[in-house]
Amino acid sequence: MAIDDQYQIHLQKLTNKEQPVTETIYALGNGHMGVRASNPLQGNSDHYEGNPGLFVNGFYDLSPITYGERYFGYPRNNQTIAQLPDPRFLILEIDGVRSDQTPFRVETIDKNLDMETGLLVETFRITTPKQKMLTLTLQSFMSQSDYHLYVVRYEIRALNFSGKVTLLKQHNYVNQSIPNSNEDVRRAQRHNPLGQVYMPADSPTMLIETQKSQLGILMMFHYLGSDPRMKMVSRNNIPCYEVQLDLTPGKLEQFAFGYSLGNIHALMTVEMGPDFYIKKTLERFHEQNFAKLFEASANHMRHFWQDSDIVIDGDPTLQRGIRFNLFHLYQAAGRDSVTDVPAKGVTGPGYEGHYFWDTEMYMLPFFIYTQPEIAKALLTYRFSILDEARQHAREMGIENGVLYPWRTINGEEASAYYPAGTAQVHINADIAYATDLYIQVTQDMDFLENYGFEMIVSTARFWLAFGNYGEQGKQKNKFVINAVTGPDEYTALVDNNYYTNRMAQNNLFIAVKYAKQLQKENPTKLADLGVNEEEIVAFQTAANKMYLPYDDDLQIKMQDDSSPNRPVFDIANEPRENFPLLLHYHPLVLYRYRVNKQADTLMSDFLFPFDQDEPQLQRDYDYYEKITTHDSSLSRAIFSVLANRIHNPEKAYNYFMDTALMDLTDLQGNSADGIHAANMGGTWLSLIYGFAGMHAGINGLTFDPQFPSEWLFLSFKVKYHKRQIKVAIQRQEVTFTLLVGKPINIFYREQEVELVNSTPVIIHLTGLQV
Ligand code: BGC
């Protein structure tokens, strides 16, 4: 098959080729686990700045949070994703010198990731202390068809010598330290000691139980196929595979290893215990070869692209950048209903592997519209932590409903800094919003009845108890929500954050909507959850009376009650090196000023397009753009979508390009810690909600494209109401094709478009920017 260049991420194309950054860019994952693209010999260890390792989504350790002053209800434990031994690790022994003991020089010659299939190919040139040179090529992929499998093939060739080389493959049983030399809260804050090595006679196997968590992982690898030269030996009491090679220049030796992971506690509870699991895996590996395993995984990848690809004609770099983001989103998302999407995917230790609102507000739309099964699994994870969320609400003095943790893995709050953590109670409404979107788009009524309704009602109950009726200036009897932090983390603990109030209002409205629907369709569900008429009225009343702050003089939506009284921070005259501000100012300094880290009130304008007309949006946009630093990677995508809505194609395009190429260009300067998964979801939002102007309104699916002059063609597919629709936009026309499902009517602006069968329907456009 011809290689499509726009599915390739070639090293030469990267702007920042530093090892820690490329380790992230080329990290491979499958939602369950991820491997950073380390230097496999970690050869220049004195200078090695990389941060190699394997991350298993949801596999974390607990350690007590040490507070100088500890108050009631503060979270007790850190939850830190475990950084496990690097499965790419390999030892070469030449002239009696081992590459893990005496660093060999390792130069990266080439790297290429084929996103279409998920195959990573890397070539290194290795020079021993005695100046013997070899090339080492790694071909690796993370299996998309078997979530417990990672496969790597090593190819070795001598360049300037003939002689003996020993290859040793063992677990890299080294604790990776997670550097946190500065005060950057975005990085992992600690590293965790790993557990014990478990050694059955015939395979290098490692059992890792994290310190206090109940979780254990059994890691093992085995040579794929059978090669009589491959021996199991024990070196320094560490079991490993060893093969003695006689290399001559030009002669190629190849070995492939399968790397398998099982959950030790799951293995103990099912009939097959760890020994049985190891035996079965070994047998399987004997029968396998690289090509077969790769084909199964690559097919899976191709299916992903069939549904989720976005094609842009006119800018190959951008096309690649978009695919890169979609590829990583897919690699990042847990698919097992017990894990979510860590903010850095499974590509690094940043943010300690925690799940945030990032999933619901930035990434879920992509999954809902293109991979609804994954969206469902992610929301089911949120359902699975309802008990912890209930407990958390009690700790906050709220007797009814749940409060989701701001950041977590196991469902408990893990944020030690509550002003930018627990106080972001909007997470409740974010989860409810995403649940509603999922149900609206997929019409998955089973999910509504078995999971979604309980989440929506439980979060709605929280608002009734957390907010109160009060007077707001001349407005009497308004529902107000005090002492919260909105999305903008440069403003904390305020009263009536617009975004929070608007989202809480929506949460209450949708609780009423579904309660009324289920009253007719499944009244027992209401009874089971104790929802009665009185409560439905209380939800409705609070929503109707929700206070939404507005500045009458400036005619803008006010971020919160206190914002007009704070001086404006002089962003324009702040030296460039002082950004992000969070690394240069104490939080309290920032809180005193009007300065935003990211979209906040505008996030509400983005989510509720019918709340405001265009002049209002324009005023909000102009005002908030001036005070926003975009220090959070979650900001630009929203500004891009809204710029399209106010018909400012230049801004829409520029913000978009920053989101689309953020990690590939290391725009935020911290891609080394892992990808910016929310921003990657933001790329999809900017394209589909922004440039294609898609919206799932009450009428149905509507498109209002704003097509930038830089492009020739944009096309993508969405799943909606059990259909799949392909949308192709060009300057002069938009084409809709019903690919799957019964006839349906959609909208191009106000115009109804009937999609009856697979014949494309072409609409000639008017009024588009060209
Ligand atoms: C942002 C949050 C986000 C978190 C994780 C922070 O910098 O301000 O909105 O949830 O990063 O991505």
Coordinates of all heavy atoms in Angstrom, one line a residue, residues 185-186 342-344 351 354-359 362-363 406-407 420 424 426 486-490 582 597-599 631-634 668 676-679, ligand 1:
V185 N 3.2 23.3 38.9 CA 2.2 22.3 39.4 C 1.7 21.4 38.3 O 1.0 20.4 38.6 CB 1.0 23.0 40.0 CG1 1.4 23.7 41.3 CG2 0.3 23.9 39.1
R186 N 2.1 21.7 37.1 CA 1.6 20.9 36.0 C 2.4 19.6 35.8 O 2.0 18.7 35.2 CB 1.6 21.7 34.6 CG 0.7 22.9 34.7 CD 1.0 23.9 33.6 NE 2.4 24.3 33.6 CZ 3.0 25.0 32.6 NH1 2.3 25.4 31.6 NH2 4.3 25.4 32.7
P342 N -6.6 10.6 31.1 CA -5.7 11.5 31.8 C -5.4 12.8 31.0 O -5.4 12.7 29.8 CB -4.4 10.7 32.0 CG -4.8 9.3 31.7 CD -6.0 9.3 30.7
A343 N -5.2 13.9 31.7 CA -4.9 15.2 31.0 C -3.8 15.1 30.0 O -3.7 15.8 29.0 CB -4.7 16.3 32.0
K344 N -2.8 14.2 30.3 CA -1.7 14.0 29.4 C -1.8 12.7 28.7 O -0.8 12.1 28.2 CB -0.4 14.0 30.2 CG -0.2 15.3 31.0 CD 0.3 16.4 30.1 CE 0.4 17.7 30.8 NZ 0.6 18.8 29.9
Y351 N 0.6 16.1 35.5 CA -0.7 16.1 36.2 C -1.0 14.8 36.8 O -2.2 14.4 37.1 CB -1.9 16.6 35.3 CG -2.0 18.1 35.0 CD1 -1.9 18.6 33.8 CD2 -2.1 18.9 36.1 CE1 -2.0 20.0 33.6 CE2 -2.1 20.3 35.9 CZ -2.1 20.8 34.6 OH -2.1 22.2 34.5
H354 N -4.0 12.3 36.3 CA -5.4 12.6 36.7 C -6.4 13.0 35.6 O -6.0 13.4 34.6 CB -5.3 13.8 37.7 CG -4.7 13.5 39.0 ND1 -4.4 14.5 39.9 CD2 -4.2 12.3 39.5 CE1 -3.8 13.9 40.9 NE2 -3.7 12.6 40.7
Y355 N -7.6 12.7 36.0 CA -8.7 13.0 35.1 C -9.4 14.4 35.6 O -9.6 14.5 36.8 CB -9.8 12.0 35.1 CG -9.3 10.5 35.0 CD1 -9.8 9.6 35.9 CD2 -8.3 10.2 34.1 CE1 -9.3 8.2 35.8 CE2 -7.8 8.9 34.1 CZ -8.4 7.9 34.9 OH -7.9 6.6 34.9
F356 N -9.7 15.2 34.6 CA -10.2 16.5 34.9 C -11.5 16.8 34.1 O -11.9 15.9 33.3 CB -9.3 17.7 34.5 CG -8.0 17.7 35.3 CD1 -6.9 16.9 35.1 CD2 -7.8 18.8 36.2 CE1 -5.7 17.0 35.7 CE2 -6.6 18.9 36.9 CZ -5.6 18.0 36.7
W357 N -12.1 18.0 34.2 CA -13.2 18.3 33.3 C -12.8 18.3 31.8 O -13.6 18.3 30.9 CB -13.7 19.7 33.7 CG -12.9 20.9 33.2 CD1 -11.5 21.0 33.4 CD2 -13.3 22.1 32.6 NE1 -11.0 22.2 32.9 CE2 -12.1 22.9 32.4 CE3 -14.5 22.6 32.1 CZ2 -12.1 24.1 31.7 CZ3 -14.5 23.8 31.5 CH2 -13.4 24.6 31.3
D358 N -11.5 18.2 31.6 CA -11.0 18.2 30.2 C -11.7 17.2 29.4 O -12.0 17.4 28.2 CB -9.5 17.8 30.2 CG -8.6 18.7 31.1 OD1 -9.1 19.3 32.1 OD2 -7.4 18.9 30.7
T359 N -12.0 16.0 30.0 CA -12.6 14.9 29.2 C -14.0 15.4 28.7 O -14.3 15.3 27.5 CB -12.8 13.7 30.1 OG1 -11.6 13.3 30.7 CG2 -13.4 12.5 29.3
Y362 N -13.9 19.0 26.6 CA -13.1 19.2 25.4 C -12.9 17.9 24.5 O -12.8 18.0 23.3 CB -11.6 19.6 25.8 CG -11.6 21.0 26.3 CD1 -12.0 21.4 27.6 CD2 -11.2 22.0 25.4 CE1 -12.0 22.7 27.9 CE2 -11.2 23.4 25.8 CZ -11.6 23.7 27.0 OH -11.6 25.0 27.4
M363 N -13.0 16.7 25.2 CA -12.7 15.6 24.4 C -13.9 14.7 24.0 O -14.0 14.1 23.0 CB -11.7 14.7 25.1 CG -10.4 15.4 25.4 SD -9.3 14.3 26.2 CE -9.0 15.0 27.7
W406 N -12.5 17.4 41.5 CA -11.9 18.2 40.4 C -10.8 17.4 39.7 O -10.7 17.4 38.5 CB -11.3 19.5 41.0 CG -10.5 20.2 39.9 CD1 -9.2 20.5 39.9 CD2 -11.1 20.8 38.7 NE1 -8.9 21.2 38.8 CE2 -10.0 21.4 38.0 CE3 -12.4 20.8 38.2 CZ2 -10.2 22.0 36.8 CZ3 -12.5 21.4 36.9 CH2 -11.4 22.0 36.3
R407 N -10.0 16.7 40.5 CA -9.0 15.8 39.8 C -8.9 14.5 40.6 O -8.9 14.5 41.8 CB -7.6 16.5 39.7 CG -7.1 17.2 40.9 CD -5.9 18.0 40.6 NE -4.7 17.3 40.2 CZ -3.6 17.8 39.9 NH1 -3.4 19.1 39.8 NH2 -2.6 17.1 39.5
A420 N -8.0 26.2 43.4 CA -8.0 25.9 42.0 C -8.3 24.4 41.8 O -8.1 23.9 40.7 CB -6.6 26.2 41.3
Q424 N -13.7 24.2 42.0 CA -14.2 24.2 40.6 C -15.4 23.2 40.6 O -15.3 22.3 39.8 CB -13.1 23.9 39.7 CG -12.0 24.9 39.6 CD -11.2 24.9 38.3 OE1 -11.7 24.9 37.2 NE2 -9.9 24.9 38.5
H426 N -17.9 23.5 39.1 CA -18.6 23.4 37.8 C -18.4 22.0 37.2 O -19.1 21.6 36.3 CB -18.0 24.5 36.9 CG -16.6 24.5 36.5 ND1 -16.1 23.6 35.5 CD2 -15.5 25.1 37.0 CE1 -14.8 23.8 35.4 NE2 -14.4 24.7 36.3
G486 N -14.3 29.4 38.8 CA -14.7 29.0 37.5 C -13.6 28.4 36.7 O -12.5 28.1 37.3
P487 N -13.7 28.2 35.4 CA -12.6 27.5 34.7 C -11.3 28.3 34.7 O -10.2 27.8 34.7 CB -13.2 27.5 33.3 CG -14.6 27.5 33.4 CD -14.9 28.3 34.6
D488 N -11.4 29.7 34.8 CA -10.2 30.5 34.8 C -9.5 30.4 36.1 O -10.0 30.9 37.1 CB -10.7 32.0 34.5 CG -9.6 32.9 34.9 OD1 -8.4 32.6 34.7 OD2 -9.9 34.0 35.4
E489 N -8.4 29.8 36.1 CA -7.7 29.5 37.4 C -6.9 30.7 37.9 O -6.1 30.6 38.8 CB -6.8 28.2 37.2 CG -7.7 27.0 37.0 CD -6.9 25.7 37.1 OE1 -5.6 25.8 37.0 OE2 -7.5 24.6 37.2
Y490 N -7.0 31.8 37.2 CA -6.3 33.0 37.7 C -7.3 33.9 38.5 O -7.0 35.0 38.9 CB -5.7 33.9 36.6 CG -4.4 33.3 35.9 CD1 -3.9 33.8 34.8 CD2 -3.8 32.2 36.5 CE1 -2.7 33.3 34.2 CE2 -2.7 31.6 36.0 CZ -2.1 32.2 34.8 OH -1.0 31.6 34.3
L582 N 1.6 31.8 36.0 CA 1.5 30.9 37.2 C 2.9 30.5 37.7 O 3.0 30.1 38.8 CB 0.6 29.7 37.0 CG 1.1 28.7 35.9 CD1 1.7 27.4 36.6 CD2 -0.1 28.3 35.0
K597 N -6.6 33.1 32.7 CA -5.7 32.1 32.2 C -6.2 31.4 31.0 O -5.5 31.0 30.1 CB -5.5 31.0 33.3 CG -4.6 29.9 33.0 CD -4.6 28.9 34.3 CE -3.7 27.7 34.0 NZ -3.8 26.7 35.1
Q598 N -7.6 31.4 30.9 CA -8.3 30.7 29.8 C -9.7 31.2 29.7 O -10.2 31.9 30.5 CB -8.2 29.2 30.2 CG -9.0 28.9 31.4 CD -8.5 27.6 32.1 OE1 -7.7 27.7 33.0 NE2 -9.0 26.4 31.6
A599 N -10.3 30.7 28.6 CA -11.7 31.1 28.4 C -12.6 30.7 29.6 O -12.5 29.6 30.1 CB -12.3 30.4 27.2
D631 N -2.6 31.1 29.0 CA -1.6 30.3 29.7 C -2.0 28.8 29.9 O -1.2 27.9 30.1 CB -1.3 30.8 31.1 CG -0.4 32.1 31.0 OD1 0.1 32.3 29.9 OD2 -0.2 32.8 32.0
S632 N -3.3 28.6 29.8 CA -3.8 27.2 29.7 C -4.0 26.8 28.3 O -4.5 27.5 27.5 CB -5.1 27.0 30.5 OG -5.8 25.9 30.1
S633 N -3.6 25.5 28.0 CA -3.8 25.0 26.6 C -5.2 24.8 26.3 O -5.6 24.5 25.1 CB -3.0 23.7 26.5 OG -3.7 22.7 27.3
L634 N -6.1 25.0 27.2 CA -7.6 24.8 27.0 C -8.2 26.0 26.4 O -9.4 26.0 26.2 CB -8.3 24.4 28.2 CG -8.2 22.9 28.7 CD1 -6.8 22.5 29.0 CD2 -9.1 22.6 29.8
Q668 N 3.5 25.2 24.1 CA 3.4 25.6 25.5 C 4.7 25.4 26.2 O 4.8 25.7 27.4 CB 2.3 24.8 26.2 CG 0.9 24.9 25.7 CD 0.2 26.2 26.1 OE1 0.0 27.0 25.2 NE2 -0.2 26.3 27.3
H676 N -1.1 17.5 25.4 CA -2.2 18.3 25.9 C -3.5 17.7 25.3 O -4.0 18.2 24.3 CB -2.0 19.8 25.5 CG -0.8 20.4 26.1 ND1 0.5 20.2 25.6 CD2 -0.6 21.1 27.3 CE1 1.4 20.8 26.3 NE2 0.7 21.4 27.4
A677 N -4.0 16.7 26.0 CA -5.1 16.0 25.4 C -6.4 16.9 25.2 O -7.1 16.8 24.2 CB -5.5 14.8 26.3
A678 N -6.7 17.8 26.2 CA -7.9 18.6 26.0 C -7.7 19.5 24.8 O -8.7 19.7 24.0 CB -8.1 19.4 27.3
N679 N -6.6 20.1 24.6 CA -6.4 20.9 23.4 C -6.6 20.1 22.1 O -7.1 20.6 21.1 CB -5.0 21.5 23.5 CG -4.7 22.2 22.1 OD1 -5.2 23.2 21.8 ND2 -3.8 21.6 21.4
Ligands
BGC1 C1 -6.3 24.3 33.4 C2 -7.5 23.4 33.7 C3 -7.3 22.0 33.2 C4 -6.0 21.4 33.8 C5 -5.7 20.1 33.2 C6 -5.0 23.6 33.9 O1 -3.9 24.3 33.5 O2 -6.4 25.5 33.9 O3 -8.7 24.0 33.2 O4 -8.3 21.2 33.6 O5 -4.9 22.3 33.4 O6 -5.5 20.1 31.8

